[in-house]
Amino acid sequence: MIYQHSSMSQVKIPREYHSITPYLTVKGGDAAIEFYKKAFGAEERGHMKTPDGKTAHAELKIGDSIFMLSDEFPEMKNLSPLSIGGSPVSMYLYVEDVDSTFEKAVSAGAKVLDKVMDQFWGDRHGRLQDPFGHQWNIATHVKDLSEEEMKKAAEEAFSRMSK
């Protein structure tokens, strides 16, 4: 965890963080960290453990984004998607090469939910579930669309879905 700063002034948002930082709860912190390293090239920035060896807090970085994770702590009502039957929240990860990253994640143990395809909103995109129950949308942006082009593409895509 990198919270130290060279200046004496109080920093409101720590260096290298964005305004929103995902915090994942997993069953098996050590295994999750290794999965994210293999699947997405995550860099481990810090890892604190409880006396019994569980991950109390870890920070990882993928590209320019930091995310945090911890093991489950049921006594604190901190449960993973595996314990509660899923999660309504998913990660959206932009990468340089979606096809390569997607295959690397599948090889590391992720389950394919939606194969990689060019999408109407201008991304080449696929969706995975990691071994810890979290869903990851992996994408490479391939086309900029005007608001009007986006609206037309969305209408066409939604009309095909309703058939």
Side-chain angles (χ1 to χ4, degrees), residues 75-122:
E75 65 279 10
M76 295 171 22
K77 298 187 180 13
N78 187 26
L79 301 171
S80 77
L82 296 178
S83 290
I84 61 174
S87 171
V89 177
S90 65
M91 303 277 127
Y92 204 100
L93 175 63
Y94 277 110
V95 296
E96 292 290 323
D97 181 351
V98 64
D99 295 281
S100 171
T101 301
F102 197 87
E103 285 309 312
K104 197 183 304 180
V106 171
S107 294
K111 175 182 163 187
V112 176
L113 299 176
D114 296 314
K115 292 180 181 176
V116 175
M117 297 174 36
D118 290 338
Q119 300 293 343
F120 75 85
W121 58 86

Side-chain angles (χ1 to χ4, degrees), residues 19-35:
S19 296
I20 295 177
T21 301
Y23 202 117
L24 306 179
T25 300
V26 298
K27 261 189 179 178
D30 289 342
I33 291 167
E34 289 309 309
F35 170 81

Side-chain angles (χ1 to χ4, degrees), residues 14-72:
R15 182 174 46 86
E16 296 187 67
Y17 286 77
H18 300 289
S19 296
I20 295 177
T21 301
Y23 202 117
L24 306 179
T25 300
V26 298
K27 261 189 179 178
D30 289 342
I33 291 167
E34 289 309 309
F35 170 81
Y36 297 133
K37 286 179 180 179
K38 284 182 194 170
F40 305 130
E43 167 196 331
E44 186 176 336
R45 294 171 37 101
H47 192 172
M48 289 187 295
K49 293 192 172 219
T50 61
D52 63 356
K54 289 175 73 174
T55 297
H57 178 81
E59 291 184 12
L60 294 103
K61 186 174 184 179
I62 300 172
D64 69 351
S65 298
I66 295 168
F67 70 103
M68 303 174 189
L69 68 84
S70 75
D71 263 304
E72 288 192 317

